[in-house]
Amino acid sequence: MTSTSRTLGLAVAQLGPIHLSDTREKVVGRLVEMLREAHSRGAQFVTFPELALTTFFPRYWMEDAQAHARFFEKSMPGPATQPLFDEARRLGVGFYIGYAELTLEGRSFNTAVIVGRDGSVIGKYRKIHLPGHADHRPDAPFQHLEKKYFEIGDQGFRVFDADGTRMGMCLCNDRRWPETYRVLALQSAEVVVLGYNTPSFNINWNEPAHLRTHSHLLSVQAGAYQNCLWVAAAAKCGSEDGHHMIGSSVIVAPTGEIVARTLSEEDEVICVRADLALGDNFREHIFNFAKHRRPEHYGLIVERTGAGEPL
Ligand code: ING
């Protein structure tokens, strides 16, 4: 079947470090700069990182109220982020951005939104797979307190119409779980956008540093190939107040091939002209879900949370 070609100017805007001393206004200035560069290179959609407005604060122990006051957004857009929304609308570029959300009821989530080319918020996602711990571990070199600062997301994994592109989204650790991509692909997603903040060092065991990049790339490439998706993954990376996080932001095609990858651990834009019809060939043949999947044999995936005894 010859696919009709539909293309999307798809970009990732990787952020270098954000330090505790960096203001939101300064960070938003960096985001606007990268949005402009992406637009000048043909981007129609730009993917920013997870928690793109502040340092990765879950590495620090503090009272919830302190964290909420300093690192959370009460609205999106808000006063500090409005310039980004205004510039995106002026240029006619959609975007995804991750941030810490504090709701009017006082609930807290690790959140991302997809914004249309007209500057309107099209969809919201709240992180479901929260890694790390909730207790204080003073002997560890740093904390990973996403289970303390954020509630488990309550929006599910959903696909939105982003100016004609069927777009799903997720956040960071979600990209390591195959269920994430499959639930989005079963809703006919053709692109999945995600941001991540991935510490280079594992506080739980002496994991070789290179494996962090290996497992990141393996996860997004497998997710893309097995679900016929374009995947755009944006890092916030480099050394934030001495705490290093991996870069390797990538754009992956439905073939599973890396089409673009950042070279630095600084602010860096990568951009491709994504042929959305490329996924059609895979959906039509090897991963024709309707023709080949056998859910009657997959029951354990939703019946069990942890591993149990053989059937
Ligand atoms: N960060 C990391 C991530 O999933 C992590 C946490 C790293 C978990 C490596 C397991 C292995 O990329 C966030 N923010 O989820």
Side-chain angles (χ1 to χ4, degrees):
M1 168 185 137
T2 52
S3 310
T4 52
S5 171
R6 269 190 319 117
T7 62
L8 172 69
L10 180 59
V12 159
Q14 170 181 286
L15 271 170
I18 299 179
H19 305 296
L20 282 164
S21 59
D22 288 327
T23 64
R24 275 181 185 63
E25 287 69 22
K26 185 176 168 192
V27 172
V28 169
R30 291 166 56 185
L31 299 176
V32 168
E33 273 309 301
M34 288 200 281
L35 184 88
R36 286 179 180 143
E37 181 188 344
H39 175 257
S40 73
R41 291 166 55 183
Q44 295 160 300
F45 191 91
V46 179
T47 313
F48 290 114
E50 171 189 37
L51 296 176
L53 301 169
T54 67
T55 196
F56 186 68
F57 64 88
R59 68 166 71 91
Y60 303 112
W61 176 268
M62 68 194 95
E63 293 309 315
D64 286 0
Q66 237 186 312
H68 293 170
R70 182 168 181 185
F71 299 111
F72 283 68
E73 310 301 318
K74 294 188 174 66
S75 65
M76 187 53 66
T81 48
Q82 193 59 54
L84 176 66
F85 280 69
D86 293 345
E87 184 66 357
R89 186 176 60 245
R90 186 180 74 81
L91 296 174
V93 176
F95 65 94
Y96 157 109
I97 187 165
Y99 63 98
E101 176 191 13
L102 184 65
T103 72
L104 292 176
E105 303 77 30
R107 301 179 65 194
S108 55
F109 298 96
N110 188 341
T111 297
V113 290
I114 285 174
V115 179
R117 294 174 196 164
D118 63 357
S120 65
V121 174
I122 292 174
K124 175 180 281 189
Y125 169 72
R126 290 166 169 165
K127 189 172 182 179
I128 288 170
H129 296 101
L130 295 170
H133 51 96
D135 58 306
H136 190 194
R137 297 182 180 177
D139 298 336
F142 53 88
Q143 312 294 300
H144 196 121
L145 292 162
E146 293 192 60
K147 290 183 188 296
K148 166 182 167 59
Y149 293 126
F150 305 121
E151 292 183 47
I152 294 169
D154 59 357
Q155 302 290 305
F157 296 108
R158 290 183 45 217
V159 175
F160 302 94
D161 176 356
D163 299 298
T165 299
R166 291 192 304 276
M167 190 175 284
M169 62 176 138
C170 66
L171 275 158
C172 203
N173 198 255
D174 293 320
R175 78 191 185 286
R176 300 177 186 278
W177 301 91
E179 294 87 348
T180 301
Y181 305 95
R182 185 51 50 89
V183 169
L184 292 172
L186 285 168
Q187 298 172 74
S188 306
E190 41 195 351
V191 179
V192 169
V193 292
L194 66 96
Y196 61 96
N197 288 209
T198 300
S200 303
F201 303 104
N202 188 332
I203 54 176
N204 297 311
W205 55 281
N206 187 20
E207 179 184 9
H210 77 276
L211 285 184
R212 283 296 164 106
T213 300
H214 166 72
S215 63
H216 151 63
L217 295 176
L218 184 64
S219 298
V220 294
Q221 287 183 264
Y225 168 65
Q226 291 170 347
N227 296 280
C228 318
L229 296 165
W230 282 90
V231 175
K236 170 148 63 71
C237 56
S239 179
E240 295 191 325
D241 296 303
H243 299 278
H244 188 267
M245 298 192 294
I246 66 167
S248 293
S249 301
V250 284
I251 299 173
V252 182
T255 60
E257 293 169 297
I258 295 172
V259 179
R261 178 175 177 177
T262 54
L263 298 173
S264 74
E265 293 181 344
E266 299 297 337
D267 293 7
E268 183 177 345
V269 172
I270 51 176
C271 186
V272 303
R273 180 141 296 283
D275 174 4
L276 298 179
L278 193 56
D280 294 346
N281 297 326
F282 292 84
R283 278 184 284 275
E284 178 68 23
H285 299 291
I286 181 162
F287 290 115
N288 185 320
F289 286 174
K291 199 181 283 186
H292 301 313
R293 291 187 71 246
R294 301 265 61 87
E296 64 273 21
H297 294 289
Y298 306 161
L300 286 188
I301 290 176
V302 289
E303 287 157 18
R304 289 188 183 177
T305 301
E309 289 307 306
L311 291 176

